[in-house]
Every structure is written in structure tokens, then in C-alpha cells.
Amino acid sequence: MKFEHVKGKNKGKILLYALSTCIWCKKTKEFLDKLGVDYQYIYVDLLDEDDKDKAMEDIKKWNPSCSFPTMVFNNKKCIVGYKEDEIKEVLGL
């Protein structure tokens, strides 16, 4: 499973699980871009079946409902959905 890496300010390890067709995933990605932070993302719907199953297992650990977008910060905190204020708070911005 290969995440795409977006370079920016290091605010810890940020993983974004998204769907290529999801408007809220797109907005979350654009928001992270606007903040200029370093993060990794993956479009789960574009993965092959094996990687998709693996990604869904990872997401379930943090978000049992498996909704998108799901963001994991430093393997400690998870934010589900497009929530600007929560994202800023977690990143200390």
C-alpha cells in the first residue's frame, strides 16, 4: 500500500485515508495543502482489492464506521470528516 507524500512543514506523521470521488476528502486535502503541512494520503477506492482490504483494516482500528475522510495523527489521534478547527488544534496551529 503506497501513500502519496505531500511535502510541507513537519507537524508529525499525518495519514489521510480518502476517496477520489468524495468532496469532503477533497476539501480536507485542500485544507492540509493550505496549511502547508507535510502529510501522506491514499485514495482507498483506487487501490487493488488486496491493498483496499488492508487499508480498510487500518481505518477500522481508528474509525469503526469506515467513513471518509479519516485522518490519523502520529498514530495517536483520529479525526473523521472535514473539521478545520479540530485539525488546527491537533496540529497546534
Side-chain angles (χ1 to χ4, degrees):
M1 196 166 51
K2 187 174 185 259
F3 283 82
E4 298 294 326
H5 182 214
V6 177
K7 292 185 178 184
K9 290 179 277 185
N10 185 359
K11 291 289 186 180
K13 185 177 180 183
I14 303 169
L15 299 177
L16 170 63
Y17 295 92
L19 297 175
S20 65
T21 56
C22 165
I23 187 68
W24 298 112
C25 299
K26 182 180 177 185
K27 284 182 173 279
T28 300
K29 190 175 172 306
E30 288 173 351
F31 186 65
L32 291 172
D33 289 342
K34 181 180 159 190
L35 294 175
V37 296
D38 193 280
Y39 68 98
Q40 296 179 62
Y41 71 95
I42 195 164
Y43 288 127
V44 175
D45 59 320
L46 300 180
L47 298 172
D48 65 34
E49 288 304 314
D50 287 342
D51 282 345
K52 191 181 295 182
D53 290 344
K54 197 173 182 179
M56 294 306 285
E57 285 177 27
D58 290 345
I59 294 168
K60 277 183 189 173
K61 292 176 194 168
W62 295 98
N63 173 15
S65 66
C66 291
S67 52
F68 295 91
T70 296
M71 277 175 293
V72 179
F73 299 87
N74 294 320
N75 286 321
K76 292 181 180 174
K77 169 87 175 153
C78 175
I79 295 178
V80 177
Y82 177 64
K83 298 175 180 167
E84 288 186 9
D85 290 342
E86 277 190 49
I87 294 169
K88 281 183 173 178
E89 185 180 326
V90 168
L91 297 175
L93 300 172

